[in-house]
Amino acid sequence: MKLIILAAGKGERLMPLTRNTPKPLLDMGNGYTLLEEQLRAAQAAGVVDETVLVVGYLAAQVEAKLEFHREAGLCVRTVYNPFYEVSNNLMSLWLARHEMTADFMITN
């Protein structure tokens, strides 16, 4: 099963927390980011073989965090949404359409 996480937006409703930090990298108060919590939950479910993250806003920060997890053996790739400032999740979904083969699920 492939997990597609839509995470390209600016998270404007969470400003000022997201002014310099993308929403997926916000600390959940337990030492883990929102993204790490999603990845941990997916692994714990035991049905996710690979993860594709659609990024946009402050993508380099997200990529840096993912590199740590890749080195630990997690199969995770990214798709970049260059329109994140003027679009919504539908555009992120469209840009990841090539990932929607066989079994997959989508989360925000």
Side-chain angles (χ1 to χ4, degrees), residues 54-103:
V54 182
V55 297
Y57 179 63
L58 300 175
Q61 288 184 31
V62 178
E63 287 282 358
K65 177 61 92 171
L66 287 176
E67 191 55 37
F68 171 78
H69 292 286
R70 287 181 187 122
E71 290 172 2
L74 183 67
C75 181
V76 60
R77 294 179 287 107
T78 59
V79 172
Y80 182 69
N81 176 355
F83 310 107
Y84 69 88
E85 287 204 55
V86 295
S87 67
N88 57 27
N89 278 348
L90 188 56
M91 178 57 78
S92 290
L93 195 58
W94 178 254
L95 292 170
R97 69 191 180 281
H98 63 281
E99 297 290 350
M100 297 175 204
T101 58
D103 294 334

mmCIF file of all heavy atoms in Angstrom, residues 54-103:
data_model
loop_
_atom_site.group_PDB
_atom_site.id
_atom_site.type_symbol
_atom_site.label_atom_id
_atom_site.label_comp_id
_atom_site.label_asym_id
_atom_site.label_seq_id
_atom_site.Cartn_x
_atom_site.Cartn_y
_atom_site.Cartn_z
ATOM 1 N N VAL A 54 3.582 15.189 -0.864
ATOM 2 C CA VAL A 54 3.510 16.323 -1.781
ATOM 3 C C VAL A 54 3.879 17.561 -0.972
ATOM 4 O O VAL A 54 3.221 17.892 0.008
ATOM 5 C CB VAL A 54 2.112 16.482 -2.409
ATOM 6 C CG1 VAL A 54 2.116 17.644 -3.401
ATOM 7 C CG2 VAL A 54 1.683 15.195 -3.098
ATOM 8 N N VAL A 55 4.973 18.210 -1.364
ATOM 9 C CA VAL A 55 5.502 19.360 -0.640
ATOM 10 C C VAL A 55 5.415 20.617 -1.492
ATOM 11 O O VAL A 55 5.230 20.551 -2.696
ATOM 12 C CB VAL A 55 6.966 19.123 -0.198
ATOM 13 C CG1 VAL A 55 7.054 17.949 0.765
ATOM 14 C CG2 VAL A 55 7.871 18.889 -1.399
ATOM 15 N N GLY A 56 5.563 21.745 -0.832
ATOM 16 C CA GLY A 56 5.551 23.036 -1.525
ATOM 17 C C GLY A 56 6.199 24.086 -0.647
ATOM 18 O O GLY A 56 7.373 24.391 -0.780
ATOM 19 N N TYR A 57 5.432 24.622 0.303
ATOM 20 C CA TYR A 57 5.893 25.664 1.206
ATOM 21 C C TYR A 57 7.077 25.165 2.027
ATOM 22 O O TYR A 57 6.990 24.122 2.692
ATOM 23 C CB TYR A 57 4.734 26.090 2.111
ATOM 24 C CG TYR A 57 5.060 27.140 3.127
ATOM 25 C CD1 TYR A 57 5.452 28.411 2.742
ATOM 26 C CD2 TYR A 57 4.948 26.869 4.484
ATOM 27 C CE1 TYR A 57 5.742 29.389 3.679
ATOM 28 C CE2 TYR A 57 5.220 27.835 5.438
ATOM 29 C CZ TYR A 57 5.626 29.090 5.025
ATOM 30 O OH TYR A 57 5.900 30.057 5.962
ATOM 31 N N LEU A 58 8.183 25.899 1.968
ATOM 32 C CA LEU A 58 9.405 25.568 2.709
ATOM 33 C C LEU A 58 9.805 24.101 2.520
ATOM 34 O O LEU A 58 10.199 23.400 3.465
ATOM 35 C CB LEU A 58 9.246 25.917 4.192
ATOM 36 C CG LEU A 58 8.966 27.403 4.487
ATOM 37 C CD1 LEU A 58 8.696 27.620 5.966
ATOM 38 C CD2 LEU A 58 10.124 28.274 4.029
ATOM 39 N N ALA A 59 9.721 23.664 1.274
ATOM 40 C CA ALA A 59 9.986 22.262 0.940
ATOM 41 C C ALA A 59 11.372 21.794 1.360
ATOM 42 O O ALA A 59 11.542 20.632 1.749
ATOM 43 C CB ALA A 59 9.798 22.044 -0.558
ATOM 44 N N ALA A 60 12.361 22.663 1.306
ATOM 45 C CA ALA A 60 13.727 22.257 1.671
ATOM 46 C C ALA A 60 13.800 21.796 3.125
ATOM 47 O O ALA A 60 14.546 20.856 3.437
ATOM 48 C CB ALA A 60 14.705 23.400 1.418
ATOM 49 N N GLN A 61 13.038 22.427 4.000
ATOM 50 C CA GLN A 61 13.023 21.997 5.405
ATOM 51 C C GLN A 61 12.428 20.604 5.542
ATOM 52 O O GLN A 61 12.925 19.773 6.306
ATOM 53 C CB GLN A 61 12.226 22.984 6.257
ATOM 54 C CG GLN A 61 12.902 24.309 6.479
ATOM 55 C CD GLN A 61 12.084 25.195 7.403
ATOM 56 O OE1 GLN A 61 11.381 24.716 8.300
ATOM 57 N NE2 GLN A 61 12.169 26.502 7.186
ATOM 58 N N VAL A 62 11.364 20.355 4.807
ATOM 59 C CA VAL A 62 10.722 19.042 4.856
ATOM 60 C C VAL A 62 11.667 17.987 4.280
ATOM 61 O O VAL A 62 11.818 16.904 4.849
ATOM 62 C CB VAL A 62 9.376 19.052 4.103
ATOM 63 C CG1 VAL A 62 8.743 17.673 4.119
ATOM 64 C CG2 VAL A 62 8.433 20.085 4.711
ATOM 65 N N GLU A 63 12.311 18.309 3.174
ATOM 66 C CA GLU A 63 13.269 17.375 2.563
ATOM 67 C C GLU A 63 14.397 17.032 3.541
ATOM 68 O O GLU A 63 14.813 15.876 3.626
ATOM 69 C CB GLU A 63 13.858 17.969 1.281
ATOM 70 C CG GLU A 63 12.907 18.008 0.122
ATOM 71 C CD GLU A 63 12.718 16.670 -0.572
ATOM 72 O OE1 GLU A 63 13.358 15.666 -0.186
ATOM 73 O OE2 GLU A 63 11.910 16.629 -1.502
ATOM 74 N N ALA A 64 14.882 18.009 4.259
ATOM 75 C CA ALA A 64 15.962 17.768 5.224
ATOM 76 C C ALA A 64 15.498 16.808 6.319
ATOM 77 O O ALA A 64 16.249 15.905 6.728
ATOM 78 C CB ALA A 64 16.433 19.087 5.828
ATOM 79 N N LYS A 65 14.295 16.979 6.802
ATOM 80 C CA LYS A 65 13.754 16.083 7.826
ATOM 81 C C LYS A 65 13.570 14.680 7.262
ATOM 82 O O LYS A 65 13.870 13.687 7.919
ATOM 83 C CB LYS A 65 12.424 16.621 8.349
ATOM 84 C CG LYS A 65 11.741 15.746 9.371
ATOM 85 C CD LYS A 65 12.550 15.545 10.622
ATOM 86 C CE LYS A 65 12.198 16.587 11.658
ATOM 87 N NZ LYS A 65 12.819 16.297 12.965
ATOM 88 N N LEU A 66 13.100 14.594 6.024
ATOM 89 C CA LEU A 66 12.893 13.292 5.410
ATOM 90 C C LEU A 66 14.205 12.546 5.192
ATOM 91 O O LEU A 66 14.236 11.317 5.268
ATOM 92 C CB LEU A 66 12.157 13.441 4.083
ATOM 93 C CG LEU A 66 10.682 13.801 4.178
ATOM 94 C CD1 LEU A 66 10.106 14.001 2.787
ATOM 95 C CD2 LEU A 66 9.901 12.748 4.939
ATOM 96 N N GLU A 67 15.264 13.272 4.915
ATOM 97 C CA GLU A 67 16.549 12.624 4.674
ATOM 98 C C GLU A 67 16.974 11.793 5.884
ATOM 99 O O GLU A 67 17.495 10.693 5.747
ATOM 100 C CB GLU A 67 17.623 13.655 4.324
ATOM 101 C CG GLU A 67 18.898 13.039 3.821
ATOM 102 C CD GLU A 67 18.697 12.107 2.632
ATOM 103 O OE1 GLU A 67 17.844 12.384 1.759
ATOM 104 O OE2 GLU A 67 19.373 11.066 2.583
ATOM 105 N N PHE A 68 16.718 12.325 7.064
ATOM 106 C CA PHE A 68 17.020 11.593 8.297
ATOM 107 C C PHE A 68 16.269 10.267 8.327
ATOM 108 O O PHE A 68 16.817 9.221 8.674
ATOM 109 C CB PHE A 68 16.649 12.458 9.508
ATOM 110 C CG PHE A 68 16.722 11.728 10.815
ATOM 111 C CD1 PHE A 68 17.942 11.492 11.424
ATOM 112 C CD2 PHE A 68 15.570 11.260 11.421
ATOM 113 C CE1 PHE A 68 18.007 10.805 12.636
ATOM 114 C CE2 PHE A 68 15.629 10.571 12.623
ATOM 115 C CZ PHE A 68 16.851 10.348 13.224
ATOM 116 N N HIS A 69 15.009 10.295 7.952
ATOM 117 C CA HIS A 69 14.192 9.077 7.979
ATOM 118 C C HIS A 69 14.562 8.119 6.849
ATOM 119 O O HIS A 69 14.473 6.907 7.015
ATOM 120 C CB HIS A 69 12.709 9.445 7.937
ATOM 121 C CG HIS A 69 12.260 10.121 9.186
ATOM 122 N ND1 HIS A 69 12.070 9.444 10.360
ATOM 123 C CD2 HIS A 69 12.016 11.426 9.457
ATOM 124 C CE1 HIS A 69 11.709 10.297 11.309
ATOM 125 N NE2 HIS A 69 11.672 11.499 10.780
ATOM 126 N N ARG A 70 14.973 8.673 5.720
ATOM 127 C CA ARG A 70 15.430 7.815 4.625
ATOM 128 C C ARG A 70 16.669 7.034 5.043
ATOM 129 O O ARG A 70 16.801 5.847 4.740
ATOM 130 C CB ARG A 70 15.736 8.649 3.382
ATOM 131 C CG ARG A 70 14.518 9.171 2.679
ATOM 132 C CD ARG A 70 14.917 9.966 1.439
ATOM 133 N NE ARG A 70 13.778 10.599 0.848
ATOM 134 C CZ ARG A 70 13.662 11.913 0.656
ATOM 135 N NH1 ARG A 70 14.642 12.733 1.002
ATOM 136 N NH2 ARG A 70 12.576 12.411 0.108
ATOM 137 N N GLU A 71 17.573 7.711 5.740
ATOM 138 C CA GLU A 71 18.791 7.054 6.206
ATOM 139 C C GLU A 71 18.475 5.939 7.197
ATOM 140 O O GLU A 71 19.238 4.992 7.337
ATOM 141 C CB GLU A 71 19.737 8.079 6.827
ATOM 142 C CG GLU A 71 20.340 9.022 5.800
ATOM 143 C CD GLU A 71 21.131 10.162 6.409
ATOM 144 O OE1 GLU A 71 21.256 10.218 7.656
ATOM 145 O OE2 GLU A 71 21.615 11.004 5.637
ATOM 146 N N ALA A 72 17.340 6.063 7.868
ATOM 147 C CA ALA A 72 16.919 5.036 8.827
ATOM 148 C C ALA A 72 16.148 3.908 8.134
ATOM 149 O O ALA A 72 15.667 2.996 8.790
ATOM 150 C CB ALA A 72 16.058 5.667 9.916
ATOM 151 N N GLY A 73 16.011 3.988 6.805
ATOM 152 C CA GLY A 73 15.393 2.901 6.063
ATOM 153 C C GLY A 73 13.964 3.115 5.616
ATOM 154 O O GLY A 73 13.358 2.223 5.030
ATOM 155 N N LEU A 74 13.386 4.272 5.872
ATOM 156 C CA LEU A 74 12.011 4.544 5.464
ATOM 157 C C LEU A 74 11.961 4.850 3.973
ATOM 158 O O LEU A 74 12.772 5.627 3.462
ATOM 159 C CB LEU A 74 11.451 5.728 6.255
ATOM 160 C CG LEU A 74 9.999 6.078 5.993
ATOM 161 C CD1 LEU A 74 9.085 4.957 6.494
ATOM 162 C CD2 LEU A 74 9.646 7.373 6.701
ATOM 163 N N CYS A 75 11.025 4.237 3.272
ATOM 164 C CA CYS A 75 10.846 4.490 1.840
ATOM 165 C C CYS A 75 9.881 5.661 1.673
ATOM 166 O O CYS A 75 8.664 5.499 1.779
ATOM 167 C CB CYS A 75 10.306 3.240 1.148
ATOM 168 S SG CYS A 75 10.089 3.465 -0.620
ATOM 169 N N VAL A 76 10.440 6.840 1.467
ATOM 170 C CA VAL A 76 9.608 8.035 1.319
ATOM 171 C C VAL A 76 10.186 8.913 0.214
ATOM 172 O O VAL A 76 11.388 9.124 0.136
ATOM 173 C CB VAL A 76 9.478 8.813 2.655
ATOM 174 C CG1 VAL A 76 10.804 9.265 3.176
ATOM 175 C CG2 VAL A 76 8.518 9.975 2.537
ATOM 176 N N ARG A 77 9.298 9.370 -0.658
ATOM 177 C CA ARG A 77 9.678 10.244 -1.766
ATOM 178 C C ARG A 77 8.814 11.487 -1.718
ATOM 179 O O ARG A 77 7.815 11.535 -1.001
ATOM 180 C CB ARG A 77 9.455 9.534 -3.107
ATOM 181 C CG ARG A 77 10.361 8.347 -3.301
ATOM 182 C CD ARG A 77 10.128 7.612 -4.610
ATOM 183 N NE ARG A 77 8.887 6.850 -4.595
ATOM 184 C CZ ARG A 77 7.772 7.162 -5.260
ATOM 185 N NH1 ARG A 77 7.717 8.242 -6.006
ATOM 186 N NH2 ARG A 77 6.702 6.406 -5.190
ATOM 187 N N THR A 78 9.200 12.486 -2.499
ATOM 188 C CA THR A 78 8.412 13.716 -2.543
ATOM 189 C C THR A 78 8.028 14.055 -3.971
ATOM 190 O O THR A 78 8.696 13.674 -4.925
ATOM 191 C CB THR A 78 9.176 14.917 -1.941
ATOM 192 O OG1 THR A 78 10.386 15.114 -2.665
ATOM 193 C CG2 THR A 78 9.471 14.710 -0.468
ATOM 194 N N VAL A 79 6.930 14.784 -4.066
ATOM 195 C CA VAL A 79 6.475 15.409 -5.300
ATOM 196 C C VAL A 79 6.327 16.882 -4.953
ATOM 197 O O VAL A 79 5.749 17.220 -3.917
ATOM 198 C CB VAL A 79 5.116 14.834 -5.761
ATOM 199 C CG1 VAL A 79 4.547 15.624 -6.923
ATOM 200 C CG2 VAL A 79 5.244 13.362 -6.102
ATOM 201 N N TYR A 80 6.862 17.740 -5.793
ATOM 202 C CA TYR A 80 6.825 19.181 -5.502
ATOM 203 C C TYR A 80 5.642 19.843 -6.200
ATOM 204 O O TYR A 80 5.419 19.639 -7.394
ATOM 205 C CB TYR A 80 8.129 19.839 -5.949
ATOM 206 C CG TYR A 80 8.182 21.320 -5.645
ATOM 207 C CD1 TYR A 80 8.262 21.772 -4.332
ATOM 208 C CD2 TYR A 80 8.128 22.258 -6.660
ATOM 209 C CE1 TYR A 80 8.298 23.123 -4.039
ATOM 210 C CE2 TYR A 80 8.169 23.618 -6.381
ATOM 211 C CZ TYR A 80 8.258 24.039 -5.069
ATOM 212 O OH TYR A 80 8.287 25.371 -4.780
ATOM 213 N N ASN A 81 4.896 20.636 -5.456
ATOM 214 C CA ASN A 81 3.794 21.429 -6.000
ATOM 215 C C ASN A 81 4.276 22.876 -6.113
ATOM 216 O O ASN A 81 4.280 23.603 -5.119
ATOM 217 C CB ASN A 81 2.569 21.352 -5.094
ATOM 218 C CG ASN A 81 1.432 22.230 -5.575
ATOM 219 O OD1 ASN A 81 1.563 22.980 -6.542
ATOM 220 N ND2 ASN A 81 0.307 22.156 -4.895
ATOM 221 N N PRO A 82 4.661 23.324 -7.313
ATOM 222 C CA PRO A 82 5.160 24.691 -7.471
ATOM 223 C C PRO A 82 4.055 25.741 -7.372
ATOM 224 O O PRO A 82 4.338 26.924 -7.289
ATOM 225 C CB PRO A 82 5.778 24.684 -8.867
ATOM 226 C CG PRO A 82 5.005 23.647 -9.602
ATOM 227 C CD PRO A 82 4.680 22.593 -8.570
ATOM 228 N N PHE A 83 2.815 25.300 -7.340
ATOM 229 C CA PHE A 83 1.669 26.219 -7.306
ATOM 230 C C PHE A 83 1.070 26.344 -5.902
ATOM 231 O O PHE A 83 -0.046 26.834 -5.749
ATOM 232 C CB PHE A 83 0.594 25.739 -8.283
ATOM 233 C CG PHE A 83 1.113 25.448 -9.646
ATOM 234 C CD1 PHE A 83 1.239 24.142 -10.094
ATOM 235 C CD2 PHE A 83 1.505 26.476 -10.493
ATOM 236 C CE1 PHE A 83 1.730 23.861 -11.356
ATOM 237 C CE2 PHE A 83 2.001 26.202 -11.763
ATOM 238 C CZ PHE A 83 2.105 24.903 -12.192
ATOM 239 N N TYR A 84 1.800 25.902 -4.884
ATOM 240 C CA TYR A 84 1.239 25.826 -3.533
ATOM 241 C C TYR A 84 0.693 27.151 -3.019
ATOM 242 O O TYR A 84 -0.239 27.173 -2.222
ATOM 243 C CB TYR A 84 2.263 25.257 -2.544
ATOM 244 C CG TYR A 84 3.424 26.174 -2.257
ATOM 245 C CD1 TYR A 84 3.350 27.120 -1.250
ATOM 246 C CD2 TYR A 84 4.594 26.096 -3.010
ATOM 247 C CE1 TYR A 84 4.407 27.965 -0.992
ATOM 248 C CE2 TYR A 84 5.654 26.928 -2.754
ATOM 249 C CZ TYR A 84 5.559 27.865 -1.759
ATOM 250 O OH TYR A 84 6.606 28.710 -1.499
ATOM 251 N N GLU A 85 1.250 28.273 -3.473
ATOM 252 C CA GLU A 85 0.791 29.572 -2.970
ATOM 253 C C GLU A 85 -0.559 29.989 -3.536
ATOM 254 O O GLU A 85 -1.262 30.789 -2.922
ATOM 255 C CB GLU A 85 1.828 30.659 -3.265
ATOM 256 C CG GLU A 85 3.047 30.542 -2.375
ATOM 257 C CD GLU A 85 3.778 31.847 -2.236
ATOM 258 O OE1 GLU A 85 3.136 32.840 -1.848
ATOM 259 O OE2 GLU A 85 4.983 31.868 -2.513
ATOM 260 N N VAL A 86 -0.916 29.467 -4.683
ATOM 261 C CA VAL A 86 -2.153 29.909 -5.343
ATOM 262 C C VAL A 86 -3.141 28.765 -5.573
ATOM 263 O O VAL A 86 -4.159 28.960 -6.224
ATOM 264 C CB VAL A 86 -1.843 30.588 -6.705
ATOM 265 C CG1 VAL A 86 -1.066 31.873 -6.486
ATOM 266 C CG2 VAL A 86 -1.103 29.647 -7.628
ATOM 267 N N SER A 87 -2.837 27.587 -5.049
ATOM 268 C CA SER A 87 -3.723 26.454 -5.273
ATOM 269 C C SER A 87 -4.125 25.820 -3.943
ATOM 270 O O SER A 87 -3.792 26.318 -2.880
ATOM 271 C CB SER A 87 -3.038 25.423 -6.179
ATOM 272 O OG SER A 87 -1.941 24.838 -5.521
ATOM 273 N N ASN A 88 -4.807 24.702 -4.046
ATOM 274 C CA ASN A 88 -5.226 23.987 -2.843
ATOM 275 C C ASN A 88 -4.870 22.511 -2.978
ATOM 276 O O ASN A 88 -4.104 22.126 -3.855
ATOM 277 C CB ASN A 88 -6.723 24.196 -2.597
ATOM 278 C CG ASN A 88 -7.557 23.752 -3.796
ATOM 279 O OD1 ASN A 88 -7.164 22.892 -4.562
ATOM 280 N ND2 ASN A 88 -8.723 24.353 -3.952
ATOM 281 N N ASN A 89 -5.453 21.688 -2.122
ATOM 282 C CA ASN A 89 -5.122 20.261 -2.120
ATOM 283 C C ASN A 89 -5.444 19.569 -3.437
ATOM 284 O O ASN A 89 -4.819 18.576 -3.779
ATOM 285 C CB ASN A 89 -5.850 19.545 -0.982
ATOM 286 C CG ASN A 89 -5.132 19.695 0.325
ATOM 287 O OD1 ASN A 89 -3.990 20.130 0.371
ATOM 288 N ND2 ASN A 89 -5.801 19.333 1.400
ATOM 289 N N LEU A 90 -6.417 20.097 -4.165
ATOM 290 C CA LEU A 90 -6.765 19.480 -5.441
ATOM 291 C C LEU A 90 -5.584 19.527 -6.414
ATOM 292 O O LEU A 90 -5.317 18.551 -7.123
ATOM 293 C CB LEU A 90 -7.998 20.160 -6.048
ATOM 294 C CG LEU A 90 -8.583 19.502 -7.278
ATOM 295 C CD1 LEU A 90 -8.925 18.043 -7.009
ATOM 296 C CD2 LEU A 90 -9.814 20.257 -7.737
ATOM 297 N N MET A 91 -4.853 20.630 -6.434
ATOM 298 C CA MET A 91 -3.675 20.721 -7.303
ATOM 299 C C MET A 91 -2.586 19.758 -6.826
ATOM 300 O O MET A 91 -1.936 19.091 -7.639
ATOM 301 C CB MET A 91 -3.129 22.139 -7.346
ATOM 302 C CG MET A 91 -1.872 22.281 -8.198
ATOM 303 S SD MET A 91 -2.051 21.737 -9.910
ATOM 304 C CE MET A 91 -2.912 23.119 -10.609
ATOM 305 N N SER A 92 -2.378 19.669 -5.519
ATOM 306 C CA SER A 92 -1.395 18.718 -4.990
ATOM 307 C C SER A 92 -1.771 17.299 -5.381
ATOM 308 O O SER A 92 -0.916 16.504 -5.792
ATOM 309 C CB SER A 92 -1.304 18.832 -3.469
ATOM 310 O OG SER A 92 -0.694 20.044 -3.100
ATOM 311 N N LEU A 93 -3.034 16.989 -5.281
ATOM 312 C CA LEU A 93 -3.516 15.675 -5.660
ATOM 313 C C LEU A 93 -3.290 15.413 -7.151
ATOM 314 O O LEU A 93 -2.831 14.335 -7.545
ATOM 315 C CB LEU A 93 -5.002 15.571 -5.323
ATOM 316 C CG LEU A 93 -5.635 14.207 -5.311
ATOM 317 C CD1 LEU A 93 -4.940 13.285 -4.339
ATOM 318 C CD2 LEU A 93 -7.104 14.335 -4.972
ATOM 319 N N TRP A 94 -3.568 16.414 -7.966
ATOM 320 C CA TRP A 94 -3.369 16.289 -9.415
ATOM 321 C C TRP A 94 -1.893 16.030 -9.741
ATOM 322 O O TRP A 94 -1.586 15.201 -10.586
ATOM 323 C CB TRP A 94 -3.861 17.556 -10.113
ATOM 324 C CG TRP A 94 -3.648 17.538 -11.598
ATOM 325 C CD1 TRP A 94 -2.712 18.236 -12.307
ATOM 326 C CD2 TRP A 94 -4.373 16.777 -12.561
ATOM 327 N NE1 TRP A 94 -2.818 17.955 -13.641
ATOM 328 C CE2 TRP A 94 -3.829 17.056 -13.825
ATOM 329 C CE3 TRP A 94 -5.429 15.869 -12.474
ATOM 330 C CZ2 TRP A 94 -4.298 16.472 -14.995
ATOM 331 C CZ3 TRP A 94 -5.901 15.286 -13.640
ATOM 332 C CH2 TRP A 94 -5.331 15.597 -14.876
ATOM 333 N N LEU A 95 -1.007 16.736 -9.067
ATOM 334 C CA LEU A 95 0.419 16.569 -9.333
ATOM 335 C C LEU A 95 0.936 15.201 -8.890
ATOM 336 O O LEU A 95 1.979 14.744 -9.360
ATOM 337 C CB LEU A 95 1.212 17.688 -8.673
ATOM 338 C CG LEU A 95 0.973 19.074 -9.277
ATOM 339 C CD1 LEU A 95 1.608 20.158 -8.421
ATOM 340 C CD2 LEU A 95 1.488 19.138 -10.705
ATOM 341 N N ALA A 96 0.218 14.554 -7.999
ATOM 342 C CA ALA A 96 0.617 13.226 -7.522
ATOM 343 C C ALA A 96 -0.173 12.104 -8.199
ATOM 344 O O ALA A 96 -0.041 10.944 -7.818
ATOM 345 C CB ALA A 96 0.438 13.149 -6.011
ATOM 346 N N ARG A 97 -0.940 12.432 -9.202
ATOM 347 C CA ARG A 97 -1.810 11.435 -9.835
ATOM 348 C C ARG A 97 -1.034 10.232 -10.380
ATOM 349 O O ARG A 97 -1.557 9.113 -10.386
ATOM 350 C CB ARG A 97 -2.668 12.071 -10.918
ATOM 351 C CG ARG A 97 -1.904 12.519 -12.143
ATOM 352 C CD ARG A 97 -2.775 13.387 -13.064
ATOM 353 N NE ARG A 97 -2.059 13.822 -14.244
ATOM 354 C CZ ARG A 97 -1.187 14.828 -14.294
ATOM 355 N NH1 ARG A 97 -0.923 15.518 -13.182
ATOM 356 N NH2 ARG A 97 -0.584 15.156 -15.410
ATOM 357 N N HIS A 98 0.192 10.443 -10.806
ATOM 358 C CA HIS A 98 0.994 9.332 -11.323
ATOM 359 C C HIS A 98 1.368 8.327 -10.230
ATOM 360 O O HIS A 98 1.813 7.216 -10.530
ATOM 361 C CB HIS A 98 2.261 9.860 -12.012
ATOM 362 C CG HIS A 98 3.177 10.591 -11.096
ATOM 363 N ND1 HIS A 98 2.957 11.902 -10.716
ATOM 364 C CD2 HIS A 98 4.292 10.196 -10.457
ATOM 365 C CE1 HIS A 98 3.928 12.282 -9.889
ATOM 366 N NE2 HIS A 98 4.742 11.264 -9.719
ATOM 367 N N GLU A 99 1.203 8.724 -8.977
ATOM 368 C CA GLU A 99 1.502 7.836 -7.845
ATOM 369 C C GLU A 99 0.309 6.963 -7.475
ATOM 370 O O GLU A 99 0.421 6.063 -6.659
ATOM 371 C CB GLU A 99 1.918 8.662 -6.626
ATOM 372 C CG GLU A 99 3.171 9.460 -6.811
ATOM 373 C CD GLU A 99 4.425 8.604 -6.880
ATOM 374 O OE1 GLU A 99 4.351 7.390 -6.597
ATOM 375 O OE2 GLU A 99 5.492 9.146 -7.234
ATOM 376 N N MET A 100 -0.839 7.234 -8.068
ATOM 377 C CA MET A 100 -2.076 6.551 -7.696
ATOM 378 C C MET A 100 -2.266 5.287 -8.526
ATOM 379 O O MET A 100 -3.182 5.168 -9.330
ATOM 380 C CB MET A 100 -3.261 7.496 -7.840
ATOM 381 C CG MET A 100 -3.170 8.677 -6.932
ATOM 382 S SD MET A 100 -4.490 9.823 -7.241
ATOM 383 C CE MET A 100 -3.759 11.324 -6.628
ATOM 384 N N THR A 101 -1.383 4.342 -8.312
ATOM 385 C CA THR A 101 -1.462 3.054 -8.976
ATOM 386 C C THR A 101 -1.649 1.992 -7.920
ATOM 387 O O THR A 101 -1.225 2.151 -6.774
ATOM 388 C CB THR A 101 -0.171 2.778 -9.768
ATOM 389 O OG1 THR A 101 0.937 2.814 -8.873
ATOM 390 C CG2 THR A 101 0.035 3.804 -10.865
ATOM 391 N N ALA A 102 -2.279 0.923 -8.290
ATOM 392 C CA ALA A 102 -2.546 -0.188 -7.361
ATOM 393 C C ALA A 102 -3.210 0.348 -6.090
ATOM 394 O O ALA A 102 -4.056 1.225 -6.155
ATOM 395 C CB ALA A 102 -1.259 -0.936 -7.064
ATOM 396 N N ASP A 103 -2.820 -0.153 -4.939
ATOM 397 C CA ASP A 103 -3.438 0.253 -3.682
ATOM 398 C C ASP A 103 -2.769 1.490 -3.125
ATOM 399 O O ASP A 103 -1.543 1.528 -2.991
ATOM 400 C CB ASP A 103 -3.339 -0.872 -2.646
ATOM 401 C CG ASP A 103 -4.153 -2.086 -3.034
ATOM 402 O OD1 ASP A 103 -5.128 -1.932 -3.774
ATOM 403 O OD2 ASP A 103 -3.793 -3.195 -2.599
#
